[in-house]
């Protein structure tokens, strides 16, 4: 099969590779769409030691099962493979499984390929009227869905207002999840003017530039979908007393939080990693029943043009919140 293989930092090549092995309990999924994630960009730039080259990246995908009793079933892929038996898994917090694996990280190759093998439990059926391009968004949106659920649960008082930092797919997914979970007023902070325009016109969101954020503005919830010191500083400055910061982004490891203000104002900080299996299924349900809107804000490119897509994203030349690759 053909696959987009990262061979070195900032080097991707379309290659012929062996078809995936299909272990017991797994199914072969023919990929229809696979999205480029921020973690893929980290690996592309050589910033993720967990993803050594050569490696097939990509973990946001949907497609059709080939062979076996579920042959022909249209599915979206939960890329997080967990043991199912440890205390975290048994308590419903399977995203914290100590032996978790995710496709696009050894030993599991990713979905920037014609096919991938996955355990049956990780393949969530989608109806015929849900496009694969929508279903492939389940993974990035589930990250925001999980964060919003945890943040709302920790909030002291009503959740009426929220600030989302970052207008990529993670931030936009969080904004859509906030609205679907009952938060009335959501503002997205996005520095890229072209992406901001897309958020306003195509995605029907309220999006502002960082310089346009009122220095005194306070929000019940702040979701940081970027994870840099500067964005954490913004989050800790704009969460109201008794408010909650939900932190998804993994841009850099240190700095930014105003610990004194967070302590004096009893602001809760929650680090969130991916999603539970239940969060993923709830996100798929919200996609298929229309609660997250039309999800028509993606850009699609052939897998053969994947290297250029990565370069364009790095250059800030992509206005769409998500680029999907099609084998």
């Amino acid at each position: 099969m053909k696959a987009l293989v990262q061979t070195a930092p900032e080097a991707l090549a379309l290659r012929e590779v062996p078809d995936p092995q299909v272990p017991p309990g797994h199914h072969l999924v023919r990929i229809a769409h696979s999205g480029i994630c921020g973690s893929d960009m980290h690996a592309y730039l050589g910033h993720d030691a967990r993803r050594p080259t050569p490696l097939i990246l990509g973990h946001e995908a949907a497609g059709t099962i080939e062979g076996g009793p579920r042959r022909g079933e249209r599915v979206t892929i939960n890329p997080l493979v967990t043991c199912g038996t440890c205390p975290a898994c048994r308590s419903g917090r399977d995203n914290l499984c100590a032996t978790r694996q995710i496709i696009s990280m050894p030993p599991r190759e990713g979905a920037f390929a014609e096919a991938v093998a996955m355990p049956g439990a990780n393949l969530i059926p989608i109806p015929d009227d849900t496009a694969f391009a929508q279903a492939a968004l389940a993974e990035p949106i589930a990250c925001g869905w999980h964060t919003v659920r945890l943040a709302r649960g920790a909030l002291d008082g009503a959740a009426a207002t929220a600030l989302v930092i970052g207008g990529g797919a993670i931030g936009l997914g969080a904004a859509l999840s906030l609205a679907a979970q009952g938060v009335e007023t959501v503002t997205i902070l996005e520095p890229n003017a072209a992406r901001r325009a897309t958020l306003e016109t195509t995605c029907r969101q309220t999006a502002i530039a960082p310089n346009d954020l009122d220095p005194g503005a306070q929000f019940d919830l702040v979701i940081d979908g970027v994870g840099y010191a500067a964005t954490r500083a913004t989050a800790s400055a704009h969460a109201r007393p008794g408010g909650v910061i939900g932190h998804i982004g993994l841009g850099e490891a240190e700095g930014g939080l105003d610990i004194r203000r967070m302590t004096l104002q009893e602001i809760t900080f929650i680090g969130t990693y991916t999603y539970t299996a239940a969060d993923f299924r709830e996100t798929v349900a919200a996609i298929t029943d229309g609660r997250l809107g039309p999800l028509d804000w993606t850009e699609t490119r052939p897998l053969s043009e994947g290297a250029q897509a990565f370069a364009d994203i790095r250059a800030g030349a992509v206005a769409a919140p998500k680029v999907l690759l099609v084998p």
Side-chain angles (χ1 to χ4, degrees), residues 151-161 183 220-221 240-244:
R152 289 182 70 249
L155 188 66
D156 175 20
T161 62
V183 179
D220 299 323
L221 303 175
R240 68 155 170 84
V244 177

Side-chain angles (χ1 to χ4, degrees), residues 154-175:
L155 188 66
D156 175 20
T161 62
L163 176 69
V164 176
I165 304 173
I170 294 294
L172 177 55

Side-chain angles (χ1 to χ4, degrees), residues 119-195:
N122 289 69
L123 302 177
I124 312 303
I126 57 171
D128 290 342
D129 60 357
T130 298
F132 285 123
Q134 296 173 315
L137 296 173
E139 198 281 339
I141 295 177
C143 293
W145 187 277
H146 175 69
T147 301
V148 171
R149 178 177 64 80
L150 293 181
R152 289 182 70 249
L155 188 66
D156 175 20
T161 62
L163 176 69
V164 176
I165 304 173
I170 294 294
L172 177 55
L176 295 173
S177 298
L178 284 159
Q181 294 186 42
V183 179
E184 298 173 359
T185 304
V186 180
T187 302
I188 301 177
L189 205 62
E190 170 54 50
N192 184 297
R195 177 166 287 176

Side-chain angles (χ1 to χ4, degrees), residues 93-116:
R93 303 187 73 185
D94 44 293
N95 61 316
L96 302 181
C97 174
T99 59
R100 68 195 178 207
Q101 298 176 347
I102 190 167
I103 59 173
S104 79
M105 191 181 296
R108 293 183 178 269
E109 297 281 8
F112 291 150
E114 293 183 315
V116 68

